[in-house]
Amino acid sequence: MNPANPPRQLQVHRLPMAHPGDLSALAGLLDEGRVRAEDVVAVIGKTEGNGGVNDFTRGYFTQSLMHLLGARLGRAPAELQRELPCVLSGGTEGVLSPHYSVFLRAEAAADAPPGPALAIGRAFSAPTPAADIGRWAQVRAVAGAVRAAMADAGIADPAEVRFVQVKGPCVTAARAAAALAAGQSVASADPNRSMALSRAAGAFGVALALGEMADDPALESALLTRFDLWCGRASVSTGVEVEANEVVLLGHSAQWRGPLRMACEPMADAMDLPAVARALARLGLRAAPQLSADDSARVAAALVKCEPDRRGQVRGARHTMLDDTDINAQRHIRAAVGGLVAGTLGDGRLFVSGGAEHQGPDGGGLFAVIAHAA
């Protein structure tokens, strides 16, 4: 190992929150010296908002996080926000518990297990104009950020990438009006459809960067129409609180050390418990049908993407998620799949994000898990 490039190690702390602005658990770790602010490279979490365009709990948490770390680092929160991905999904329906996972990157401890070990990379695209959201320009922007995140992680082979989390912007009414006033068109002025288009473009961008899709602008018409095209390693969220595409990439690298490993499996539908079990088994975790207390303690983080089946059926039986005007379909699916996975892990601290367009099979999604090696 080149002494100029010492091996790195990833740590993950999954922390509770009492409300969307509660960073007390992280503040405690910083005060105790167990975590250094300069080692924090990304945060992924669940807040108790509605998960929609007007879910301001995500921005509240992000603001609180940047103020906390900015004070510890002596940096302006706005400056830090342009470098530190903070990917949040609103909606903790059912047994889902509000929480956030803090990812830290530091020089490996002398006694750290040898690699290949789980590595992390991060990157930001340039700010994405409203006119580019949901179009091939955004696909290319995400792909460029994913490639930069791979380089940041020290991963050269796309096959070693396990999971890519993207947070993309959406077109609000104000952004649409500003674009139109500037003589630009937008893919959709409907904020909700814009969120879906942004998620779709993010998934295509990950697939493009990982060599699963050609760089063909003609495929722009496939966004939200060709659901046979999907990426099994892409998880994409969108929100009004971001202007660029933020990328957090996880995979295995021989340049890294430590006990953490990761597995990811596409879910064929909302009841695909075998896919969850397969991902766990790849890491030596046995769900029979629920993880033992010892195995559950090995899980550092779990991440899920899910989608109400647009065909109105799950395994031949009609569902009503898409027809319910009282409860949004995304809230239905987060509760349903969240309950399934939480029951398997014996833990409700799950990142369960709806809106899985082109992220896993149509009507399904994906399940990813980070765990300590046995």
Side-chain angles (χ1 to χ4, degrees):
M1 182 65 65
N2 185 348
N5 297 292
R8 295 175 287 180
Q9 182 172 352
L10 172 65
Q11 295 181 13
V12 180
H13 292 271
R14 188 167 45 173
L15 305 174
M17 63 173 83
H19 56 78
D22 176 27
L23 274 296
S24 59
L26 177 56
L29 293 178
L30 291 166
D31 290 341
E32 296 166 7
R34 295 176 57 194
V35 165
R36 300 193 313 166
E38 56 266 39
D39 293 340
V40 177
V41 293
V43 174
I44 299 177
K46 284 294 293 182
T47 62
E48 57 209 81
N50 59 26
V53 177
N54 66 332
D55 183 353
F56 301 112
T57 65
R58 299 180 305 230
Y60 178 27
F61 179 92
T62 301
Q63 181 183 63
S64 301
L65 174 69
M66 299 307 164
H67 275 278
L68 172 65
L69 294 178
R72 302 297 177 116
L73 295 170
R75 300 183 60 188
E79 177 187 359
L80 192 59
Q81 190 168 346
R82 292 191 291 269
E83 300 175 8
L84 178 65
C86 181
V87 181
L88 300 168
S89 171
T92 50
E93 297 82 5
V95 298
L96 297 178
S97 180
H99 74 285
Y100 56 106
S101 295
V102 180
F103 294 80
L104 300 109
R105 177 171 62 189
E107 185 175 334
D111 59 349
L118 190 60
I120 188 170
R122 62 180 182 175
F124 285 67
S125 74
T128 302
D132 289 351
I133 293 174
R135 290 178 165 152
W136 204 253
Q138 186 183 12
V139 173
R140 284 176 169 164
V142 171
V146 172
R147 295 187 188 106
M150 285 180 62
D152 186 46
I155 298 175
D157 184 356
E160 293 303 321
V161 174
R162 292 293 177 267
F163 183 82
V164 183
Q165 179 66 58
V166 179
K167 183 74 174 187
C170 65
V171 178
T172 61
R175 289 174 182 173
L180 295 174
Q184 301 172 332
S185 67
V186 294
S188 177
D190 177 347
N192 287 296
R193 180 165 176 80
S194 165
M195 292 180 80
L197 282 166
S198 184
R199 289 191 296 264
F204 275 30
V206 175
L208 175 58
L210 298 184
E212 299 175 358
M213 181 176 288
D215 187 356
D216 181 1
L219 287 173
E220 182 178 296
S221 63
L223 295 170
L224 301 185
T225 61
R226 289 276 311 276
F227 289 103
D228 59 309
L229 300 176
W230 52 270
C231 180
R233 292 177 283 175
S235 171
V236 189
S237 295
T238 54
V240 298
E241 70 274 18
V242 297
E243 296 182 353
N245 299 284
E246 305 180 3
V247 172
V248 179
L249 180 142
L250 293 154
H252 295 134
S253 171
Q255 299 178 30
W256 290 61
R257 294 181 180 175
L260 293 178
R261 306 291 185 268
M262 189 171 196
C264 183
E265 281 283 329
M267 295 180 67
D269 57 36
M271 300 180 187
D272 195 358
L273 183 58
V276 177
R278 286 195 302 273
L280 294 170
R282 291 181 187 276
L283 302 179
L285 300 167
R286 182 170 179 264
Q290 189 175 90
L291 295 184
S292 67
D294 287 344
D295 274 357
S296 184
R298 287 176 49 202
V299 175
L303 307 104
V304 183
K305 285 297 293 188
C306 53
E307 179 75 13
D309 197 307
R310 68 195 74 252
R311 293 156 293 198
Q313 293 188 345
V314 179
R315 302 192 182 186
R318 184 173 71 95
H319 72 75
T320 63
M321 289 185 278
L322 301 173
D323 300 320
D324 190 341
T325 55
D326 295 314
I327 302 174
N328 184 273
Q330 297 297 335
R331 309 202 79 163
H332 273 288
I333 197 66
R334 287 194 296 261
V337 179
L340 180 143
V341 178
T344 305
L345 301 184
D347 196 328
R349 297 172 299 166
L350 308 172
F351 179 88
V352 180
S353 174
E357 304 90 349
H358 306 289
Q359 303 151 66
D362 189 21
L366 58 87
F367 169 73
V369 59
I370 300 172
H372 293 264

